[in-house]
Amino acid sequence: MSARGRGQGRIDELLAAEHRLQAAHRHCDVREMDAILDDRSIRVDPEGTLVPKAEDLASFRDGLLVIDKLEEAEPAQVIVEGDTGITRALLTVIGSYAGHEYVTRLRYTRTWVRTGQGWRVLAIHASQIAV
């Protein structure tokens, strides 16, 4: 396979991984999220709070965070350089947090690393966008 073909293949793989993660969030699938998020993963939420993987997963596992609808407001963008990748996605999310319903648009930037187990998320940054 040519270098160009390998590059496109990795872009396609990473886009598929991004969509797997979105689906895991959509279905509150903690097992799938756990498989995709690296153990060192940290999410920066819209308020600037650092949320480690264990806390992130616990919010779904404990029913604190429920997502009723999650969809891309525009197609995800992907950049791959070697075994490192970046995805950017603008998502519309409808759900509830601690029993309070919300509708929001969030722009996610995720940093990924390609491992023997596939693409894994190392860092997540979320910014709220006006609806």
Side-chain angles (χ1 to χ4, degrees):
M1 179 181 285
S2 71
R4 181 170 162 72
R6 277 194 304 274
Q8 186 60 50
R10 288 192 178 186
I11 289 169
D12 293 343
E13 288 174 4
L14 183 51
L15 182 59
E18 170 67 30
H19 288 147
R20 275 183 48 222
L21 183 57
Q22 289 180 25
H25 281 95
R26 187 179 302 114
H27 301 294
C28 299
D29 185 342
V30 174
R31 179 172 285 169
E32 182 74 353
M33 285 183 246
D34 186 35
I36 296 170
L37 299 176
D38 187 89
D39 288 341
R40 301 166 291 174
S41 175
I42 300 283
R43 176 173 52 89
V44 179
D45 71 14
E47 289 78 37
T49 303
L50 300 177
V51 182
K53 175 184 175 177
E55 187 178 325
D56 205 5
L57 295 179
S59 65
F60 284 95
R61 185 179 301 111
D62 299 343
L64 183 65
L65 177 59
V66 176
I67 295 177
D68 298 314
K69 183 176 181 179
L70 180 147
E71 60 186 27
E72 287 184 350
E74 60 187 43
Q77 299 172 337
V78 178
I79 299 170
V80 173
E81 183 63 41
D83 288 333
T84 303
I86 303 288
T87 57
R88 288 187 300 267
L90 179 60
L91 305 175
T92 300
V93 184
I94 300 171
S96 62
Y97 185 81
H100 301 283
E101 294 183 2
Y102 66 87
V103 176
T104 191
R105 291 180 93 185
L106 297 168
R107 182 165 311 276
Y108 283 94
T109 302
R110 301 187 228 270
T111 303
W112 300 72
V113 63
R114 192 168 185 264
T115 70
Q117 293 78 40
W119 288 101
R120 307 270 310 228
V121 177
L122 284 175
I124 304 161
H125 189 275
S127 298
Q128 192 164 14
I129 307 296
V131 177

Coordinates of all heavy atoms in Angstrom, one line a residue, residues 35-72:
A35 N -13.3 1.1 26.6 CA -12.4 0.5 25.7 C -11.8 1.6 24.8 O -10.7 1.4 24.3 CB -13.2 -0.5 24.8
I36 N -12.5 2.7 24.5 CA -12.0 3.7 23.6 C -11.1 4.8 24.3 O -10.2 5.3 23.8 CB -13.2 4.4 22.9 CG1 -13.9 3.3 22.0 CG2 -12.7 5.5 22.0 CD1 -15.2 3.8 21.4
L37 N -11.5 5.1 25.5 CA -10.8 6.1 26.3 C -9.5 5.5 26.9 O -9.6 4.5 27.6 CB -11.6 6.7 27.4 CG -12.9 7.4 26.9 CD1 -13.7 7.9 28.2 CD2 -12.6 8.6 26.0
D38 N -8.4 6.1 26.7 CA -7.1 5.7 27.3 C -7.3 5.9 28.8 O -8.0 6.8 29.2 CB -6.0 6.5 26.8 CG -4.6 6.0 27.3 OD1 -4.1 5.1 26.6 OD2 -4.2 6.5 28.3
D39 N -6.6 5.1 29.6 CA -6.8 5.2 31.1 C -6.2 6.6 31.6 O -6.6 7.1 32.6 CB -6.0 4.1 31.8 CG -6.7 2.8 31.7 OD1 -7.9 2.8 31.4 OD2 -6.1 1.7 31.9
R40 N -5.4 7.2 30.8 CA -4.8 8.5 31.2 C -5.7 9.7 30.7 O -5.4 10.8 30.9 CB -3.4 8.7 30.6 CG -2.4 7.6 31.0 CD -1.2 7.6 30.2 NE -1.5 7.1 28.9 CZ -0.7 7.1 27.8 NH1 0.6 7.5 28.0 NH2 -1.1 6.6 26.7
S41 N -6.8 9.3 30.0 CA -7.6 10.3 29.4 C -8.2 11.4 30.4 O -8.6 11.0 31.5 CB -8.8 9.6 28.7 OG -9.7 10.5 28.1
I42 N -8.2 12.6 30.0 CA -8.7 13.7 30.7 C -9.6 14.5 29.8 O -9.2 14.8 28.7 CB -7.6 14.7 31.3 CG1 -6.7 13.9 32.2 CG2 -8.3 15.9 32.0 CD1 -7.2 13.6 33.6
R43 N -10.8 14.8 30.3 CA -11.7 15.7 29.5 C -11.8 17.1 30.2 O -11.9 17.2 31.4 CB -13.1 15.1 29.5 CG -14.2 16.0 28.8 CD -15.5 15.3 28.6 NE -16.1 14.8 29.9 CZ -16.8 15.4 30.7 NH1 -17.2 16.7 30.5 NH2 -17.3 14.8 31.8
V44 N -11.7 18.1 29.4 CA -11.9 19.5 29.8 C -13.3 19.8 29.4 O -13.6 19.9 28.3 CB -10.9 20.5 29.2 CG1 -11.2 21.9 29.7 CG2 -9.5 20.1 29.5
D45 N -14.2 20.0 30.5 CA -15.6 20.3 30.1 C -15.8 21.8 29.8 O -14.8 22.6 29.9 CB -16.5 19.8 31.3 CG -16.4 20.6 32.5 OD1 -15.9 21.7 32.5 OD2 -17.0 20.2 33.6
P46 N -17.0 22.2 29.4 CA -17.2 23.6 29.0 C -16.9 24.6 30.1 O -16.6 25.8 29.7 CB -18.7 23.6 28.6 CG -18.9 22.2 28.1 CD -18.1 21.3 29.0
E47 N -16.9 24.2 31.3 CA -16.6 25.1 32.4 C -15.1 25.2 32.7 O -14.7 25.9 33.6 CB -17.4 24.8 33.7 CG -18.9 25.0 33.6 CD -19.6 24.0 32.8 OE1 -19.2 22.8 32.9 OE2 -20.5 24.3 32.1
G48 N -14.3 24.4 32.0 CA -12.9 24.3 32.2 C -12.4 23.3 33.3 O -11.3 23.2 33.6
T49 N -13.4 22.5 33.8 CA -13.1 21.5 34.8 C -12.4 20.3 34.2 O -12.8 19.9 33.1 CB -14.4 21.0 35.5 OG1 -15.0 22.2 36.1 CG2 -14.1 20.0 36.6
L50 N -11.3 19.8 34.8 CA -10.6 18.6 34.4 C -11.4 17.4 34.9 O -11.6 17.3 36.1 CB -9.2 18.6 34.9 CG -8.3 19.8 34.4 CD1 -6.9 19.7 35.0 CD2 -8.2 19.8 32.9
V51 N -11.8 16.5 34.0 CA -12.6 15.3 34.4 C -11.8 14.1 34.0 O -11.7 13.8 32.8 CB -14.0 15.3 33.7 CG1 -14.8 14.1 34.2 CG2 -14.7 16.6 34.0
P52 N -11.2 13.3 34.9 CA -10.5 12.1 34.6 C -11.4 11.0 34.1 O -12.7 11.1 34.4 CB -9.8 11.7 35.9 CG -10.4 12.6 37.0 CD -11.2 13.6 36.4
K53 N -10.9 10.1 33.4 CA -11.7 9.0 32.8 C -12.6 8.3 33.8 O -13.8 8.1 33.5 CB -10.7 7.9 32.2 CG -11.5 6.7 31.6 CD -10.5 5.7 31.1 CE -11.2 4.4 30.7 NZ -10.3 3.4 30.1
A54 N -12.1 7.9 35.0 CA -12.9 7.2 35.9 C -14.2 8.0 36.3 O -15.3 7.5 36.4 CB -12.1 6.9 37.2
E55 N -14.0 9.3 36.5 CA -15.1 10.2 36.9 C -16.1 10.3 35.7 O -17.3 10.4 35.9 CB -14.6 11.5 37.3 CG -15.6 12.5 37.9 CD -15.0 13.8 38.3 OE1 -13.8 13.8 38.8 OE2 -15.7 14.8 38.2
D56 N -15.5 10.5 34.5 CA -16.4 10.6 33.3 C -17.2 9.4 33.2 O -18.5 9.5 33.0 CB -15.4 10.8 32.1 CG -16.1 11.5 30.9 OD1 -17.2 11.9 31.0 OD2 -15.4 11.5 29.9
L57 N -16.7 8.2 33.3 CA -17.4 6.9 33.1 C -18.4 6.8 34.2 O -19.5 6.3 34.0 CB -16.5 5.7 33.1 CG -15.5 5.7 31.9 CD1 -14.7 4.4 32.0 CD2 -16.3 5.7 30.6
A58 N -18.1 7.2 35.5 CA -19.0 7.0 36.6 C -20.2 7.8 36.4 O -21.3 7.4 36.8 CB -18.3 7.4 37.9
S59 N -20.1 9.0 35.8 CA -21.3 9.8 35.6 C -22.4 9.1 34.7 O -23.6 9.2 34.9 CB -21.0 11.2 35.0 OG -20.4 11.0 33.7
F60 N -21.9 8.3 33.7 CA -22.8 7.5 32.9 C -23.3 6.2 33.7 O -24.5 5.9 33.7 CB -22.1 7.0 31.6 CG -22.0 8.1 30.6 CD1 -20.8 8.9 30.5 CD2 -23.1 8.4 29.7 CE1 -20.7 9.9 29.6 CE2 -22.9 9.4 28.8 CZ -21.8 10.1 28.7
R61 N -22.3 5.6 34.3 CA -22.6 4.3 35.0 C -23.6 4.5 36.2 O -24.5 3.7 36.4 CB -21.3 3.7 35.6 CG -21.5 2.4 36.3 CD -20.2 1.8 36.8 NE -19.1 1.7 35.8 CZ -18.0 2.4 35.7 NH1 -17.8 3.4 36.6 NH2 -17.2 2.2 34.7
D62 N -23.5 5.7 36.9 CA -24.4 6.0 38.0 C -25.7 6.7 37.6 O -26.5 7.0 38.4 CB -23.7 6.9 39.0 CG -22.4 6.2 39.6 OD1 -22.3 5.0 39.4 OD2 -21.6 6.9 40.1
G63 N -25.9 6.9 36.3 CA -27.1 7.5 35.8 C -27.2 9.0 36.0 O -28.2 9.6 35.8
L64 N -26.1 9.6 36.4 CA -26.0 11.1 36.6 C -26.2 11.8 35.3 O -26.9 12.8 35.2 CB -24.7 11.5 37.3 CG -24.5 12.9 37.7 CD1 -25.5 13.4 38.7 CD2 -23.1 13.2 38.2
L65 N -25.5 11.3 34.3 CA -25.6 11.9 32.9 C -26.3 10.9 32.0 O -25.9 9.7 31.9 CB -24.1 12.1 32.4 CG -24.0 12.6 31.0 CD1 -24.7 14.0 30.8 CD2 -22.5 12.8 30.6
V66 N -27.3 11.4 31.4 CA -28.1 10.6 30.4 C -28.2 11.3 29.1 O -28.5 12.5 29.1 CB -29.6 10.3 31.0 CG1 -30.4 9.6 30.0 CG2 -29.5 9.5 32.3
I67 N -27.9 10.7 28.0 CA -28.0 11.3 26.7 C -29.2 10.7 26.0 O -29.2 9.5 25.8 CB -26.7 11.2 25.9 CG1 -25.6 11.9 26.6 CG2 -26.9 11.7 24.5 CD1 -24.2 11.8 26.0
D68 N -30.1 11.5 25.6 CA -31.3 11.0 24.8 C -31.1 11.1 23.3 O -31.6 10.3 22.6 CB -32.5 11.8 25.2 CG -32.9 11.7 26.7 OD1 -32.9 10.5 27.2 OD2 -33.1 12.7 27.4
K69 N -30.3 12.1 22.9 CA -30.0 12.3 21.5 C -28.7 13.0 21.3 O -28.3 13.9 22.1 CB -31.1 13.2 20.9 CG -31.0 13.4 19.4 CD -32.1 14.2 18.8 CE -32.0 14.4 17.3 NZ -33.1 15.2 16.8
L70 N -27.9 12.5 20.4 CA -26.6 13.0 20.1 C -26.4 12.9 18.6 O -26.5 11.8 18.1 CB -25.5 12.3 20.9 CG -24.1 12.8 20.7 CD1 -23.3 12.5 21.9 CD2 -23.4 12.1 19.5
E71 N -26.2 14.0 17.9 CA -25.9 13.9 16.5 C -25.0 15.0 16.1 O -24.9 16.1 16.7 CB -27.2 14.0 15.7 CG -28.0 15.3 15.9 CD -29.4 15.3 15.2 OE1 -30.0 14.2 15.0 OE2 -29.8 16.4 14.9
E72 N -24.2 14.7 15.0 CA -23.3 15.7 14.4 C -24.1 16.8 13.8 O -24.9 16.6 13.0 CB -22.4 15.0 13.4 CG -21.3 14.1 14.0 CD -20.4 13.6 13.0 OE1 -20.6 13.7 11.7 OE2 -19.4 12.9 13.4

